[in-house]
Amino acid sequence: MDDAPGRKPWKAFRPDGVIIFSDILTPLPAFGVPFDIEDVRGPVISSPIHSEEDLNSLHPIDLDKLSFVGESLKILRQEVGGHAAVLGFVGAPWTIATYIVEGCTTRTYSKIKSMCHTEPHVLRTLLSHLTRAITDYIIYQVQSGAHCIQIFDSWGGQLPPDMWEHWSKPYIKEIVDVVKKRCPETPLVLYINGNGGLLERMKDTGVDVIGLDWTVDMADGRRRLGSGISVQGNVDPAYLFSPFNALTEEIQRVVRCAGPRRHILNLGHGVLVGTPEEAVAHFFEVARSLEFETLFRDKSAEEPNLVV
């Protein structure tokens, strides 16, 4: 159907990248963790993993159960032709584990954080299993047509930096290492909510692009990460509810702060519910109208000592 909901954004806005977004928990049943989506509570896992015995329910990922993902990517790749990059996505092991251990969405992460100290061997086994499953899932998405993969460690920012270094980073790095060997031409993007305290550590995972949320100043993020790695973001999604002139100025500011190379202009998180479509259209219009020579010549005149 030409007017299927999944195709409307592509036809309306013609972005440089397109993604079929369902949920980072989509692959869970394929490796032994069934879940339901409740109207109020969101995802609910009726048999969370808390012990060695609970780990027995896990098995290697069955990619046949995710064939609909592969088919969707193939259709999208055909739909956009050579006019846009097709993006795949996965949840990082720590973030997926938070749901499996907590059993549902949480604001405290108390069960899994406690597990780091009370049952560390169980948590390590779970994270290792997730690492293997997510790696296979990424490779499957690439083979199905994804040009690029985004890794969402959405709840990694809930960990103190030293704990993220111990309980999340090694597993992301393992995924990156394997995917780089199997799919060396596929760029990998890493995004974490609340990642201001983790930028340098994120860079050490070996990904190609660091996604910045809107709480990180783009100029500060670029200084800390350097010019040798790409950054993505990071306009506050709430700006799309502002007058167009304010949105225009913010887009220009973010682009200036990111520098003339290795920047993927994007929001600092997803489009918020209720965002006016005309504001999304304006975002794209401004992005396409940017004249880099003028933008960065003006920036140089304003701040002659800035080095990017």
Side-chain angles (χ1 to χ4, degrees):
M1 293 177 62
D2 287 341
D3 293 325
R7 298 181 183 180
K8 285 183 179 178
W10 160 246
K11 291 193 171 184
F13 307 119
R14 296 285 167 167
D16 297 317
V18 293
I19 187 168
I20 295 177
F21 188 82
S22 53
D23 197 284
I24 59 172
L25 302 186
T26 296
L28 266 62
F31 53 78
V33 184
F35 69 95
D36 295 313
I37 301 290
E38 297 185 2
D39 288 343
V40 177
R41 299 177 65 195
V44 175
I45 295 169
S46 58
S47 299
I49 290 178
H50 296 148
S51 67
E52 285 192 61
E53 184 178 19
D54 295 336
L55 291 168
N56 293 331
S57 64
L58 300 176
H59 57 73
I61 192 167
D62 183 355
L63 294 172
D64 288 339
K65 293 183 177 179
L66 296 168
S67 59
F68 62 94
V69 175
E71 288 304 313
S72 297
L73 286 167
K74 290 174 184 176
I75 292 170
L76 186 58
R77 179 82 176 251
Q78 183 177 12
E79 177 79 14
V80 303
H83 301 291
V86 173
L87 311 178
F89 73 96
V90 297
W94 168 265
T95 289
I96 297 296
T98 63
Y99 291 96
I100 295 175
V101 172
E102 299 284 345
C104 59
T105 303
T106 177
R107 293 183 178 182
T108 63
Y109 306 88
S110 56
K111 292 178 183 177
I112 191 168
K113 286 185 177 182
S114 174
M115 197 176 187
C116 293
H117 308 288
T118 59
E119 299 285 351
H121 59 293
V122 175
L123 185 53
R124 288 192 194 99
T125 302
L126 173 60
L127 290 168
S128 293
H129 183 88
L130 292 173
T131 298
R132 291 189 292 272
I134 292 165
T135 301
D136 290 344
Y137 188 37
I138 288 176
I139 293 168
Y140 173 70
Q141 290 187 50
V142 173
Q143 292 172 342
S144 298
H147 293 105
C148 171
I149 300 291
Q150 298 197 64
I151 302 171
F152 290 89
D153 194 9
S154 302
W155 310 133
Q158 297 295 324
L159 286 169
D162 65 318
M163 287 189 69
W164 186 84
E165 188 88 24
H166 186 76
W167 290 104
S168 185
K169 178 181 171 180
Y171 303 97
I172 294 173
K173 191 175 188 307
E174 184 177 338
I175 291 170
V176 171
D177 289 345
V178 175
V179 173
K180 288 291 184 184
K181 291 176 183 175
R182 296 281 302 275
C183 311
E185 301 301 316
T186 303
L188 299 176
V189 183
L190 177 59
Y191 175 85
I192 301 176
N193 284 335
N195 61 5
L198 299 171
L199 295 185
E200 293 84 358
R201 290 173 166 87
M202 291 171 70
K203 183 178 178 180
D204 289 343
T205 60
V207 295
D208 303 283
V209 184
I210 302 293
L212 304 180
D213 76 2
W214 72 93
T215 66
V216 178
D217 182 80
M218 178 58 79
D220 182 50
R222 175 55 89 191
R223 279 193 294 268
R224 291 169 59 188
L225 290 168
S227 59
I229 189 169
S230 298
V231 292
Q232 178 174 284
N234 67 337
V235 176
D236 184 348
Y239 261 98
L240 274 69
F241 292 88
S242 302
F244 281 1
N245 64 324
L247 175 57
T248 298
E249 290 173 2
E250 179 62 6
I251 292 170
Q252 293 173 342
R253 185 194 68 81
V254 167
V255 172
R256 285 194 191 99
C257 290
R261 296 179 181 85
R262 296 181 179 270
H263 175 222
I264 302 169
L265 176 62
N266 203 343
L267 300 178
H269 200 272
V271 176
L272 300 174
V273 174
T275 298
E277 286 191 22
E278 55 269 24
V280 178
H282 183 73
F283 185 99
F284 284 106
E285 289 168 6
V286 173
R288 294 189 178 103
S289 70
L290 293 176
E291 296 182 1
F292 276 68
E293 290 185 7
T294 301
L295 199 64
F296 289 103
R297 183 174 65 244
D298 293 347
K299 177 69 173 175
S300 178
E302 293 170 8
E303 300 181 33
N305 295 321
L306 177 64
V307 177
V308 178

Short mmCIF file of all heavy atoms in Angstrom, two decimals, residues 24 61 96-97 137 171 175 187 210 226 254 271 299:
data_model
loop_
_atom_site.label_atom_id
_atom_site.label_comp_id
_atom_site.label_asym_id
_atom_site.label_seq_id
_atom_site.Cartn_x
_atom_site.Cartn_y
_atom_site.Cartn_z
N ILE A 24 13.19 -2.21 21.02
CA ILE A 24 14.46 -2.90 21.23
C ILE A 24 14.25 -4.28 21.83
O ILE A 24 15.16 -5.12 21.80
CB ILE A 24 15.43 -2.08 22.11
CG1 ILE A 24 14.82 -1.79 23.49
CG2 ILE A 24 15.86 -0.81 21.42
CD1 ILE A 24 15.81 -1.15 24.47
N ILE A 61 19.81 -17.38 19.76
CA ILE A 61 18.76 -16.66 19.04
C ILE A 61 18.33 -17.42 17.80
O ILE A 61 19.15 -17.94 17.04
CB ILE A 61 19.25 -15.23 18.68
CG1 ILE A 61 18.08 -14.37 18.19
CG2 ILE A 61 20.39 -15.27 17.67
CD1 ILE A 61 18.42 -12.89 18.11
N ILE A 96 18.98 -4.17 27.61
CA ILE A 96 18.06 -5.31 27.47
C ILE A 96 17.97 -6.06 28.80
O ILE A 96 16.88 -6.48 29.22
CB ILE A 96 18.54 -6.25 26.35
CG1 ILE A 96 18.54 -5.54 24.99
CG2 ILE A 96 17.65 -7.49 26.30
CD1 ILE A 96 17.20 -5.11 24.50
N ALA A 97 19.10 -6.20 29.47
CA ALA A 97 19.11 -6.93 30.75
C ALA A 97 18.27 -6.24 31.81
O ALA A 97 17.68 -6.90 32.67
CB ALA A 97 20.54 -7.11 31.24
N TYR A 137 22.01 -10.81 15.73
CA TYR A 137 20.87 -10.02 15.25
C TYR A 137 21.34 -8.85 14.39
O TYR A 137 20.73 -8.53 13.36
CB TYR A 137 20.07 -9.53 16.45
CG TYR A 137 18.76 -8.86 16.14
CD1 TYR A 137 17.93 -9.30 15.11
CD2 TYR A 137 18.32 -7.78 16.92
CE1 TYR A 137 16.71 -8.68 14.85
CE2 TYR A 137 17.10 -7.17 16.67
CZ TYR A 137 16.30 -7.61 15.64
OH TYR A 137 15.10 -7.00 15.39
N TYR A 171 30.75 -5.45 26.98
CA TYR A 171 29.83 -6.23 26.15
C TYR A 171 29.53 -5.49 24.85
O TYR A 171 29.43 -6.12 23.78
CB TYR A 171 28.56 -6.52 26.95
CG TYR A 171 28.86 -7.26 28.23
CD1 TYR A 171 28.98 -6.58 29.45
CD2 TYR A 171 29.08 -8.64 28.22
CE1 TYR A 171 29.30 -7.25 30.61
CE2 TYR A 171 29.40 -9.32 29.39
CZ TYR A 171 29.51 -8.62 30.58
OH TYR A 171 29.84 -9.30 31.74
N ILE A 175 30.58 -6.78 20.97
CA ILE A 175 29.69 -6.73 19.81
C ILE A 175 30.36 -5.99 18.66
O ILE A 175 30.38 -6.46 17.51
CB ILE A 175 28.36 -6.04 20.18
CG1 ILE A 175 27.55 -6.92 21.13
CG2 ILE A 175 27.54 -5.73 18.92
CD1 ILE A 175 26.35 -6.23 21.73
N PRO A 187 28.80 1.04 9.32
CA PRO A 187 29.04 1.96 10.44
C PRO A 187 28.15 1.59 11.63
O PRO A 187 27.01 1.16 11.47
CB PRO A 187 28.64 3.33 9.87
CG PRO A 187 28.59 3.15 8.39
CD PRO A 187 28.22 1.72 8.16
N ILE A 210 29.12 8.61 17.77
CA ILE A 210 28.56 8.78 19.11
C ILE A 210 27.34 9.68 19.00
O ILE A 210 27.43 10.81 18.54
CB ILE A 210 29.58 9.42 20.08
CG1 ILE A 210 30.85 8.57 20.17
CG2 ILE A 210 28.94 9.62 21.45
CD1 ILE A 210 30.67 7.23 20.81
N GLY A 226 36.92 14.91 20.24
CA GLY A 226 37.89 15.17 19.19
C GLY A 226 37.24 15.12 17.82
O GLY A 226 36.07 14.79 17.67
N VAL A 254 23.79 24.19 16.56
CA VAL A 254 24.29 22.82 16.74
C VAL A 254 25.26 22.45 15.63
O VAL A 254 26.33 21.87 15.88
CB VAL A 254 23.11 21.83 16.79
CG1 VAL A 254 23.60 20.38 16.64
CG2 VAL A 254 22.34 21.98 18.11
N VAL A 271 11.40 11.93 18.08
CA VAL A 271 10.36 12.94 17.94
C VAL A 271 9.29 12.70 19.01
O VAL A 271 8.80 11.59 19.18
CB VAL A 271 9.72 12.88 16.53
CG1 VAL A 271 8.58 13.87 16.41
CG2 VAL A 271 10.78 13.16 15.47
N LYS A 299 31.26 31.66 11.75
CA LYS A 299 31.69 31.11 13.04
C LYS A 299 33.13 31.49 13.31
O LYS A 299 33.50 31.88 14.42
CB LYS A 299 31.54 29.58 13.02
CG LYS A 299 32.03 28.87 14.27
CD LYS A 299 31.15 29.16 15.46
CE LYS A 299 31.57 28.30 16.63
NZ LYS A 299 30.83 28.64 17.85
#
